[in-house]
Amino acid sequence: MRIKVKAGAHRRLFCPVEIGDFEDLPDSFSLRDEGNGALLPAQLEGGKIVFIIPYLEKGEERTYEIVEGEAEERVELKERENLVEIILGGKVFTNYHFGADFPRPFLYPLNAPGQIPITRSYPMEDVEGESKDHKHHRSLWVAHGDVNGVDNWSEEEGHGRQIHRFFREIKSGVVRGSLRELLDWVGTDGKKVLEEEREIIFYALSSPIRMIDFRVTFHASEEDVVFGDTKEGGIISLRVASALEGKRGGVIENSFGGIGEKEAWGKRAHWCDYWGYIKGEKLGVAVLDNPSNLRHPTYWHVRDYGLFTANPFGVSYFTNNPLNRGDYKLNKGEKLEFRYRLIIHKGSAEEASIKQHFLNYAFPPEVVIER
C-alpha cells in the first residue's frame, strides 16, 4: 500500500495531512518517501493516518510507503492538578489551566520557538514592564460577552464562568497531541446556559513555527441560546506579549494587507497576524479563520494595546451601524462549531508565509491511497 500526496495549485509548507480508513497497521510506523528515502513520523488516530508534509512545491507529487519502526513521542500531554502540561521536544510548550480558581480555562505560558513567551504574563505573573490592564485577558482563551445576556468575557462583578466538567480524551503522539474537554457555560447564579466541547491539537513542530488547531463546539443543551451583538468577545482570543503591542512597535497585519489597528480593527479577513520584536527576536502569532466558520472571513477585534480576537458577532460595532446586528440564535438542541489554526512563528507574516499556511488550511492537498 502506498500513499500519494498531490500538492495541487499551492506550495505546501508544514502541512498536516489526514487520510483513512485503516485498521491493520503496526503499533509504531513511519512513512518512507519513495523519492529520497526520508522518513516522516506518522500516527494512527481513529483509523486515520496523520502526518505532516514539510515541503512540497505546487504541482509536485510525493509517494510514501508505510514502514514499521519505533517512533519517539514528541508531543507529550501530562495531566496534573488543574493543569495539563504540553511538552514539545522535552520542553514546556504551554500549559492548559482549567481549575476553579479562574473564570475560564486558558493556555499559559505560550512559548514561541526559542522558548520565548508570545503572550502576556499578567495577571498570572507580575513581570516588570508589562502592561497591566484588562485582567480578563489571560494569554489565550475562549469567551463571549453576551450569551443569553450573560457576560462570559470580563471578570467584573456579575460575570459568568466556564466550568470544566471532564476531559473526554488526553493524548500524546509523534505527530501531534491533543485534549478534548467538556465545559458548562454558566451565569453568576450558577445556571447553565450551554455546553461546549473544546478540542485543542498541538503539532510536533518546533522551529521555525509551532502550530495549534483549535475547535470549539457550542451546544444549546438547556434552551435556545442567543450570542449577542457585542465587540466584547472572541471565540479565540489572545493578549500578545507587551513587547509586541502596536503602540510599542509591533505590527498588526491581515490577509487583505491591512496594517495596524486603524486598518485591521473591525475588518473581515481570512487571517490576522501580530508580529514584532521580543528580546531581540522577530516573532509573531497568526490566527487563521477556517472557511467553514460562521460569517467567514471573520471580523477581528484587534487592538494596538495587544488584544487579538476573532469575533463574528459584534457586527454593529465593527460596521458602525446599529441596524446591522450580528446576533446569532442557536435553537435548543442545535450545535455551532468554530475552527481556527494558530501559527506561532519567527519573522514577519510575509517571512513566515502565513498566506501559504492559510491556503494549506483552507485547501488541503489531495491524498490518494494506492493499494
Side-chain angles (χ1 to χ4, degrees):
M1 183 175 62
R2 304 155 78 219
I3 297 173
K4 178 175 286 186
V5 180
K6 301 178 180 180
H10 305 290
R11 179 167 55 94
R12 306 298 174 175
L13 188 65
F14 301 117
C15 180
V17 172
E18 295 183 16
I19 188 168
D21 176 27
F22 296 93
E23 292 181 355
D24 299 325
L25 287 176
D27 291 338
S28 178
F29 62 94
S30 301
L31 300 184
R32 181 161 56 203
D33 188 324
E34 289 190 347
N36 58 25
L39 291 177
L40 288 184
Q43 67 187 64
L44 190 65
E45 285 191 15
K48 294 180 183 294
I49 291 180
V50 181
F51 59 105
I52 296 173
I53 301 294
Y55 185 84
L56 201 58
E57 191 51 76
K58 65 180 180 181
E60 193 179 357
E61 298 181 1
R62 285 192 185 275
T63 303
Y64 301 90
E65 62 175 338
I66 296 172
V67 294
E68 289 192 48
E70 293 295 324
E72 182 181 351
E73 287 197 349
R74 296 193 57 210
V75 183
E76 188 177 7
L77 274 65
K78 298 179 180 177
E79 184 177 358
R80 305 187 187 282
E81 186 177 2
N82 297 330
L83 182 81
V84 179
E85 277 187 326
I86 295 92
I87 308 296
L88 182 59
K91 298 180 179 178
V92 172
F93 170 27
T94 185
N95 292 324
Y96 187 70
H97 301 261
F98 59 91
D101 290 344
F102 307 108
R104 292 157 210 114
F106 57 95
L107 288 171
Y108 173 78
L110 190 61
N111 289 322
Q115 293 300 103
I116 299 174
I118 198 81
T119 55
R120 189 179 67 169
S121 299
Y122 178 81
M124 289 70 69
E125 295 183 71
D126 188 4
V127 175
E128 186 177 353
E130 279 197 334
S131 302
K132 293 183 172 58
D133 54 86
H134 301 83
K135 68 176 182 181
H136 55 286
H137 294 174
R138 295 182 183 271
S139 185
L140 192 161
W141 74 105
V142 176
H144 190 63
D146 181 359
V147 185
N148 279 5
V150 174
D151 170 13
N152 219 317
W153 167 254
S154 82
E155 296 184 21
E156 302 301 320
E157 184 177 355
H159 68 79
R161 304 180 70 88
Q162 295 166 15
I163 308 297
H164 168 82
R165 287 175 60 188
F166 58 86
F167 289 108
R168 292 192 188 278
E169 192 173 53
I170 295 178
K171 293 189 299 188
S172 302
V174 297
V175 176
R176 66 189 192 185
S178 61
L179 62 84
R180 207 151 52 87
E181 179 190 30
L182 192 66
L183 307 103
D184 290 339
W185 287 41
V186 304
T188 188
D189 56 359
K191 181 185 176 186
K192 183 176 174 181
V193 179
L194 57 75
E195 285 182 358
E196 182 208 332
E197 180 165 305
R198 185 174 303 179
E199 183 178 33
I200 312 177
I201 298 172
F202 307 91
Y203 288 93
L205 295 167
S206 56
S207 186
I209 69 164
R210 291 178 171 179
M211 184 186 300
I212 299 173
D213 278 351
F214 219 88
R215 181 184 300 179
V216 170
T217 305
F218 295 115
H219 178 205
S221 56
E222 312 303 304
E223 56 189 342
D224 294 349
V225 172
V226 176
F227 293 86
D229 179 318
T230 174
K231 64 180 176 60
E232 305 300 348
I235 304 306
I236 187 166
S237 301
L238 294 103
R239 180 63 189 254
V240 300
S242 292
L244 282 190
E245 293 171 3
K247 62 185 183 183
R248 302 194 193 201
V251 177
I252 300 167
E253 183 172 348
N254 71 21
S255 62
F256 291 106
I259 299 290
E261 178 181 309
K262 186 176 181 180
E263 297 182 3
W265 184 85
K267 302 297 191 296
R268 305 177 77 168
H270 301 95
W271 53 262
C272 193
D273 195 304
Y274 217 131
W275 61 270
Y277 288 86
I278 309 176
K279 299 181 179 179
E281 294 282 338
K282 192 194 288 189
L283 298 167
V285 54
V287 176
L288 320 181
D289 186 46
N290 192 285
S292 68
N293 287 345
L294 177 72
R295 294 172 184 150
H296 172 83
T298 193
Y299 295 86
W300 296 92
H301 183 24
V302 58
R303 295 294 200 187
D304 270 342
Y305 67 79
L307 176 64
F308 179 12
T309 83
N311 179 350
F313 301 115
V315 180
S316 72
Y317 294 86
F318 301 141
T319 61
N320 195 28
N321 180 355
L323 301 178
N324 188 21
R325 295 191 59 83
D327 306 282
Y328 185 83
K329 182 181 178 183
L330 201 58
N331 294 319
K332 182 178 179 180
E334 290 182 339
K335 294 184 177 181
L336 177 63
E337 181 183 271
F338 290 93
R339 297 184 180 201
Y340 303 96
R341 176 165 288 171
L342 191 79
I343 307 286
I344 303 169
H345 58 86
K346 293 186 175 181
S348 66
E350 182 177 1
E351 290 165 338
S353 301
I354 297 304
K355 175 184 175 182
Q356 214 62 48
H357 286 294
F358 174 76
L359 294 171
N360 285 344
Y361 191 42
F363 308 107
E366 181 183 359
V367 187
V368 179
I369 301 172
E370 298 179 339
R371 298 184 187 273

